[in-house]
């Protein structure tokens, strides 16, 4: 059972996990190194727990204690109760949802392990915007993508903003980082996947004509907002595919494009 502890000073060392949450560069380095991530809001905290992530601690404003009582009772971790103003001083922003939890990270999967059991995967190159990462994971979970592979320079799926945007869907889709890029794509091809590079290039084939949902194993490659996939990644692909556009629009935001492409890749496949 979690112990309720009232804290009234922002420099209390027990609040270390929650300090400077708006400092993106600091948190990107610190959280993986310390083996933690921050879950924000009741739904996300519950989903993290349901996905098997262990809680290090929880930070609540007093009015959220009753709402989170069942979580508090089940979590063998301290629960720090603070005034909203103090939470803002510690974290650097107004915690609208009134509840934060510091969770322990799990060991990362390897790409080889994920590819053995998967049939539909997404491979991201240099997607370093946390909002886009979260949106892509949410669509991946909703539309039946089996796994996500990340190039070494992609953003952290467990960064607070990514988790929040995904509404906890980052906990539902297993992911791994490819150690090298684009050489790591060879692992995907060797596992029997057809590598499809999503690009607005006019030389690419329309997705509906390629019919990826009929392929046995498909890896859909997505690039960063603006730049798209690099020349090296495009060269490594088996085929280039595109989403047909109308009204002179040349491309979609990568999060929106991912959702459309995921449906084309998984159409007709049962999802859980």
């Amino acid at each position: 059972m979690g112990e309720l502890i009232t804290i009234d000073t922002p420099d209390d060392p027990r609040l270390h996990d929650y300090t400077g949450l708006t400092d993106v560069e600091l948190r990107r380095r610190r959280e993986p190194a310390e083996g933690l991530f921050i879950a924000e809001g009741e739904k996300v905290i519950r989903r993290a727990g349901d996905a098997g992530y262990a809680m290090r601690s929880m930070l609540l404003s007093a009015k959220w204690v009753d709402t989170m009582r069942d979580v508090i009772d089940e979590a063998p971790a301290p629960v720090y109760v603070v005034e909203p103003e103090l939470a803002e001083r510690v974290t650097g922003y107004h915690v609208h949802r009134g509840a934060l939890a510091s969770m322990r990270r799990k060991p990362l999967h390897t790409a080889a392990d994920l590819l053995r059991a998967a049939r539909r995967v997404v491979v991201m190159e240099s997607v370093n915007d946390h909002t886009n990462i979260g949106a892509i994971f949410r669509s991946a979970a909703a539309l039946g993508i089996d796994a996500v592979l990340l190039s070494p320079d992609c953003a952290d799926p467990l960064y607070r903003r990514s988790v929040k945007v995904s509404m906890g869907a980052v906990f539902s889709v297993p992911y791994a980082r490819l150690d090298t890029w684009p050489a790591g794509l060879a692992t995907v091809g060797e596992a029997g996947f057809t590598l499809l590079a999503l690009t607005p290039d006019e030389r690419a084939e329309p997705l509906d004509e390629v019919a990826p949902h009929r392929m046995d194993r498909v890896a859909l490659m997505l690039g960063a907002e603006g730049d798209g996939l690099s020349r090296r990644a495009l060269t490594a692909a088996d085929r280039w595919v595109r989403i047909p556009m109308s009204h002179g629009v040349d491309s979609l935001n990568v999060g929106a494009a991912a959702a459309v492409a995921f449906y084309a890749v998984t159409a007709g496949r049962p999802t859980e």
Side-chain angles (χ1 to χ4, degrees), residues 248-272:
V249 177
D250 61 355
S251 64
L252 296 173
N253 166 275
V254 66
V260 173
F262 292 167
Y263 183 78
V265 165
T266 62
R269 296 182 67 232
T271 59
E272 295 182 0

Side-chain angles (χ1 to χ4, degrees), residues 34-243:
E34 297 182 12
L36 67 91
F37 69 92
I38 299 299
E40 180 178 3
E42 178 190 359
K43 288 183 179 179
V44 173
I45 292 171
R46 291 182 184 279
R47 287 173 182 173
D50 290 344
Y53 288 93
M55 186 181 293
R56 291 163 57 107
S57 67
M58 192 155 38
L59 181 69
L60 299 176
S61 58
K63 71 176 184 179
W64 279 88
V65 170
D66 287 342
T67 301
M68 302 298 291
R69 174 58 65 180
D70 60 317
V71 178
I72 294 169
D73 289 345
E74 293 176 6
V79 178
Y80 304 126
V81 181
V82 300
E83 292 296 325
E85 295 80 9
L86 189 142
E88 184 170 353
R89 290 176 65 187
V90 171
T91 63
Y93 73 105
H94 179 61
V95 184
H96 297 283
R97 288 175 172 80
L100 295 170
S102 175
M103 313 296 293
R104 297 188 190 279
R105 290 177 182 247
K106 299 178 184 179
L108 272 182
H109 297 279
T110 67
D113 285 343
L114 294 185
L115 292 170
R116 273 194 287 272
R119 288 189 56 215
R120 297 291 185 268
V121 303
V122 58
V123 183
M124 292 191 232
E125 180 190 33
S126 303
V127 179
N128 48 33
D129 180 274
H130 294 102
T131 298
N132 286 333
I133 287 279
I136 291 168
F137 265 87
R138 188 172 184 179
S139 294
L143 296 169
I145 295 295
D146 299 319
V148 175
L149 301 180
L150 306 168
S151 69
D153 56 348
C154 277
D156 179 13
L158 293 183
Y159 181 71
R160 179 177 57 90
R161 180 65 179 168
S162 301
V163 174
K164 181 179 177 181
V165 170
S166 79
M167 289 299 293
V170 293
F171 310 137
S172 303
V173 185
Y175 69 92
R177 286 195 184 271
L178 295 169
D179 294 332
T180 58
W181 188 267
L185 291 172
T187 304
V188 185
E190 290 164 1
F193 286 81
T194 300
L195 283 161
L196 300 182
L198 188 65
T199 172
D201 193 293
E202 62 183 13
R203 293 169 293 178
E205 305 170 81
L207 262 171
D208 54 344
E209 294 180 13
V210 175
H213 62 288
R214 295 196 179 100
M215 296 177 178
D216 182 44
R217 285 183 150 187
V218 176
L220 181 70
M221 299 166 60
L222 302 173
E225 190 78 25
D227 293 337
L229 290 166
S230 68
R231 178 56 54 183
R232 293 189 303 163
L234 289 169
T235 300
D238 296 307
R239 300 171 76 170
W240 296 4
V241 295
R242 60 181 171 85
I243 299 169

